Amino acid sequence: MMTAHPWRPYVLLVLAISIPLLLFESLFSHLIFVNRARPRIKRFAELPLRFRYDGTFKILQVADMHFGNGKATRCKDVLDSEFEWCSDLNTTRFLRRMIEAERPDLIAFTGDNIFGPSATDAAESLFRAFAPAMESMIPWAAILGNHDQESSMNREELMSLVSLMDYSVSQVNPPSAGGTMRIEGFGNYHIKVHGAPGSGLDNTSILNLYFLDSGDRVVVSGRKTYGWIRESQLNWVHSISQQSQVESQSLSPALAFFHIPIPEVRDLWFKKIKGTFQEYVACSFVNSGVLNTLVSMRDVKAVFFGHDHLNDFCGELNHISVCYGGGFGYHAYGRAGWPRRARVIKAELRKGSKTWMGIQNILTWKRIDDERLTKIDDQVLWSHADDEEEDSSHSQKDV
């Protein structure tokens, strides 16, 4: 006898195969066919950077975030009562609070942004660490410390990624006619800050910011030491300074940012400082002449670095202010009961009879991560009057 519906087994077989395939495609196609997504274009900061209408320009320095894997990465050196709930998210919260409180014109991350040994995926950790800056849409710049490259990306890859992030004004290295200038390290670049809108100086750089890669660790004659700023970098920054002075036909003030302090900072133990000096200055035993170079340039008024988390002081070396940022990140080593902190730098223009003129003062203060973001250690790092007095003194000596 013939079967009434000989095709039925074949239909059931097709259904048995096709239904799971359709379900699989609907559930997982977005994971498989990732290349179908539209490419995402970087959101660029508005350039050039410039002073505000009120004649001020403010920088938030963030030193040593030591970001790891987010919520899973626990805090170091906090009170026992804080440890249970403390993680990288505390660092993120602190950064958001600082941005909201100060509304800076630029955020400067001065290295050890991520802590390589705790960061499973360096790219993911970088995006998480810098997320508050990108969300704020405020221009930001970053350099590397000695721990950033200890995860899954080398220093060149890290700076390339950082330069491509939303609102980042960071550069891998200075541009040149052939592409990128051959210079040691990654993250050496110059940012110009123009005058206030409508001031007559709105198309002129009146504040120069120099960012330098101080390296990580090296072996010299069989001895391990921290990195240092090399001769090619010093030659570059000196040439940029001279070029800027020629272009502006004046000596516009400049600030420098790098991660590892220079050896001369140790001398400040015996001098007047403002802030806390409670940790040995960890720097290279190689003195490459950074301070002498900056002095010879004549435009650098202050230098800012990190690396030693328990130091947050400012002092003066050869008429240049040198300042620690203070430890910012909760996964970085610190001292229980000594709050994490951030530094703020503010440049103020002097008022002419009708419009804003050049820079009058460079000020700084810190805020600690307590309930009120308490402001501490206000001070003047440089004043236009200081240069006038120095020039007058030199003139008298020449006579």
Side-chain angles (χ1 to χ4, degrees):
M1 176 181 279
M2 292 184 65
T3 305
H5 303 288
W7 43 266
R8 182 175 294 173
Y10 298 103
V11 172
L12 293 174
L13 179 62
V14 170
L15 290 173
I17 295 173
S18 60
I19 289 174
L21 287 174
L22 288 169
L23 287 172
F24 181 84
E25 195 276 338
S26 65
L27 291 172
F28 299 106
S29 62
H30 68 288
L31 298 176
I32 297 172
F33 302 109
V34 291
N35 291 329
R36 291 183 180 177
R38 293 179 61 185
R40 190 176 179 283
I41 300 174
K42 170 182 174 175
R43 295 182 176 91
F44 287 90
E46 186 176 340
L47 294 175
L49 301 183
R50 61 178 67 254
F51 278 73
R52 301 179 189 179
Y53 284 98
D54 67 356
T56 64
F57 187 86
K58 190 186 291 185
I59 302 171
L60 168 62
Q61 182 194 2
V62 178
D64 300 272
M65 285 195 292
H66 278 236
F67 205 91
N69 290 323
K71 189 175 182 179
T73 303
R74 306 312 301 269
C75 298
K76 295 181 179 178
D77 299 324
V78 295
L79 298 173
D80 292 341
S81 59
E82 300 170 330
F83 181 78
E84 184 177 354
W85 47 265
C86 193
S87 71
D88 274 341
L89 300 187
N90 289 65
T91 302
T92 299
R93 177 175 177 268
F94 183 27
L95 181 52
R96 285 199 174 105
R97 293 180 72 207
M98 284 298 305
I99 291 171
E100 183 178 350
E102 293 289 355
R103 299 307 301 174
D105 301 289
L106 176 71
I107 306 169
F109 296 94
T110 50
D112 282 0
N113 310 295
I114 63 173
F115 185 63
S118 299
T120 306
D121 183 311
E124 182 179 353
S125 294
L126 280 175
F127 274 107
R128 289 184 177 185
F130 295 135
M134 292 187 282
E135 291 164 3
S136 74
M137 298 187 289
I138 293 171
W140 58 277
I143 48 178
L144 303 178
N146 53 292
H147 288 301
D148 294 280
Q149 79 292 336
E150 295 174 338
S151 178
S152 56
M153 299 172 71
N154 63 35
R155 296 178 76 82
E156 183 176 12
E157 292 167 340
L158 289 165
M159 279 307 305
S160 296
L161 177 59
V162 168
S163 71
L164 294 172
M165 290 182 175
D166 288 348
Y167 305 105
S168 170
V169 293
S170 314
Q171 297 175 33
V172 178
N173 264 338
S176 68
T180 301
M181 183 180 291
R182 293 193 176 185
I183 185 174
E184 290 174 272
F186 300 98
N188 303 285
Y189 53 99
H190 167 219
I191 297 176
K192 299 178 180 181
V193 183
H194 286 208
S199 65
L201 295 172
D202 47 356
N203 291 319
T204 303
S205 176
I206 60 172
L207 176 65
N208 292 297
L209 309 177
Y210 305 132
F211 291 82
L212 295 161
D213 180 11
S214 55
D216 47 272
R217 288 181 180 270
V218 291
V219 177
V220 179
S221 302
R223 295 171 58 192
K224 288 184 179 181
T225 187
Y226 285 110
W228 63 91
I229 297 169
R230 307 301 181 100
E231 184 178 2
S232 63
Q233 297 167 275
L234 295 176
N235 291 338
W236 165 75
V237 74
H238 189 278
S239 67
I240 287 295
S241 169
Q242 301 308 302
Q243 180 183 332
S244 297
Q245 292 176 40
V246 170
E247 289 177 354
S248 64
Q249 297 183 341
S250 63
L251 189 64
S252 298
L255 308 175
F257 299 85
F258 45 87
H259 180 69
I260 299 173
I262 55 177
E264 290 89 345
V265 175
R266 293 172 177 166
D267 298 338
L268 292 173
W269 179 260
F270 307 100
K271 298 181 180 181
K272 182 181 179 181
I273 60 172
K274 189 154 193 174
T276 307
F277 194 157
Q278 58 184 349
E279 180 181 1
Y280 184 73
V281 176
C283 60
S284 176
F285 61 69
V286 176
N287 190 328
S288 61
V290 174
L291 182 60
N292 288 338
T293 298
L294 297 182
V295 169
S296 71
M297 288 159 51
R298 299 176 55 240
D299 59 345
V300 175
K301 307 306 178 187
V303 176
F304 304 91
F305 38 78
H307 190 54
D308 303 322
H309 310 171
L310 297 178
N311 292 336
D312 72 347
F313 63 84
C314 286
E316 188 176 293
L317 294 169
N318 291 8
H319 304 291
I320 295 177
S321 293
V322 293
C323 298
Y324 277 99
F328 189 97
Y330 278 83
H331 186 54
Y333 74 83
R335 177 167 291 173
W338 197 68
R340 267 56 176 186
R341 57 204 58 217
R343 181 171 292 282
V344 180
I345 306 124
K346 182 180 180 182
E348 298 177 332
L349 300 181
R350 61 184 184 276
K351 188 73 172 177
S353 58
K354 296 182 179 180
T355 186
W356 293 113
M357 306 295 286
I359 297 177
Q360 178 68 37
N361 297 309
I362 298 174
L363 318 171
T364 189
W365 60 86
K366 300 185 292 286
R367 288 192 185 272
I368 61 175
D369 191 18
D370 59 9
E371 185 178 348
R372 300 173 57 188
L373 284 179
T374 302
K375 185 178 179 181
I376 61 172
D377 293 341
D378 295 57
Q379 64 184 116
V380 177
L381 295 178
W382 174 84
S383 174
H384 177 68
D386 296 339
D387 276 10
E388 289 182 331
E389 289 178 9
E390 187 175 344
D391 291 343
S392 175
S393 174
H394 286 311
S395 298
Q396 291 175 5
K397 288 180 181 178
D398 293 338
V399 173

